[in-house]
Amino acid sequence: GIQVEQSPPDLILQEGANSTLRCNFSDSVNNLQWFHQNPWGQLINLFYIPSGTKQNGRLSATTVATERYSLLYISSSQTTDSGVYFCAVGVDYKLSFGAGTTVTVRA
Amino acid sequence: GAVVSQHPSWVICKSGTSVKIECRSLDFQATTMFWYRQFPKQSLMLMATSNEGSKATYEQGVEKDKFLINHASLTLSTLTVTSAHPEDSSFYICSARRLQGADYEQYFGPGTRLTVT
């Protein structure tokens, strides 16, 4: 199956800081999603981005499919951004998840 | 739009009993639904894919007789954990893909926490 590596595994930020999360994958994909898992376990869809660049408020993402990586940018971080961020990739509907990046934003 | 619900949110059952978990797409029709399992501090692992009106496709290593999946309509899929044991305790999450969707985006339910005593 497709291997998905996320880095860094843990990230501690001061409120207001910017950060970049990375997702590398081992094979060509046509499906890539970024999620935020809140403390109650709910996965929140952040981006569906198999290629290109998207922005939503303080978050943006870029996927370079030919080089098999995706980046998630968090700007002006807030304490509510804390949680685990997952990258999931796949071909068609079948998703493989990375191990996640645990983000802690301190006030 | 694209809201997925799960019921129950959490359940505690005794070893040897069966538990049914429901997954519903509330504001869209889902041609395909997926069931995942997540252990504490770990990532999500796909268990099975279900399409309305047909048999589910299970991932390697997932016992189809233990985890029964029924996708009876375009808005409802159920997962039944039969003869549950403590090692089945986990967080079970479903997701759904829109019937009319032009892409492969999945929308996730809030999860069901199962504890088997």
Side-chain angles (χ1 to χ4, degrees):
Chain A
I2 299 174
Q3 305 301 310
V4 186
E5 289 185 3
Q6 289 188 243
S7 60
D10 299 282
L11 191 58
I12 299 176
L13 301 170
Q14 203 62 34
E15 199 169 28
N18 302 329
S19 62
T20 301
L21 282 59
R22 188 176 179 101
C23 173
N24 292 334
F25 44 96
S26 62
D27 211 339
S28 298
V29 300
N30 61 4
N31 185 355
L32 191 149
Q33 293 185 242
W34 282 97
F35 301 94
H36 176 209
Q37 188 169 38
N38 66 23
W40 298 272
Q42 171 79 62
L43 281 170
I44 309 297
N45 286 38
L46 297 178
F47 294 102
Y48 171 76
I49 186 166
S51 64
T53 297
K54 290 186 177 180
Q55 181 161 3
N56 184 2
R58 296 181 296 101
L59 301 180
S60 63
T62 296
T63 297
V64 183
T66 53
E67 297 187 22
R68 300 181 185 169
Y69 73 88
S70 183
L71 302 173
L72 177 70
Y73 305 97
I74 306 174
S75 64
S76 305
S77 58
Q78 301 176 358
T79 55
T80 51
D81 294 331
S82 295
V84 183
Y85 290 78
F86 286 107
C87 167
V89 308
V91 176
D92 298 345
Y93 311 120
K94 186 171 175 178
L95 286 177
S96 297
F97 279 73
T101 293
T102 301
V103 173
T104 304
V105 182
R106 293 180 173 164
Chain B
V3 179
V4 177
S5 71
Q6 279 184 244
H7 179 79
S9 302
W10 58 270
V11 57
I12 301 172
C13 70
K14 292 190 175 181
S15 188
T17 62
S18 295
V19 173
K20 180 185 284 189
I21 302 170
E22 292 187 349
C23 175
R24 293 181 185 272
S25 54
L26 298 185
D27 53 0
F28 66 100
Q29 292 183 315
T31 184
T32 308
M33 288 184 167
F34 308 85
W35 288 95
Y36 295 82
R37 184 173 181 176
Q38 184 180 30
F39 290 107
K41 304 291 186 184
Q42 294 188 24
S43 190
L44 281 75
M45 296 296 293
L46 178 65
M47 298 175 65
T49 301
S50 72
N51 290 290
E52 185 263 341
S54 62
K55 288 185 178 181
T57 302
Y58 291 82
E59 295 300 301
Q60 192 171 4
V62 177
E63 300 176 56
K64 59 182 68 176
D65 294 331
K66 180 166 191 62
F67 298 99
L68 301 179
I69 292 172
N70 187 307
H71 194 155
S73 76
L74 287 173
T75 60
L76 173 65
S77 176
T78 60
L79 168 68
T80 301
V81 183
T82 62
S83 186
H85 290 99
E87 57 266 30
D88 299 323
S89 298
S90 189
F91 191 52
Y92 292 88
I93 309 174
C94 73
S95 70
R97 184 226 168 202
R98 292 181 202 259
L99 177 61
Q100 280 83 27
D103 55 43
Y104 301 111
E105 186 169 8
Q106 292 182 29
Y107 301 90
F108 284 74
T112 296
R113 202 163 301 278
L114 170 64
T115 301
V116 185
T117 61

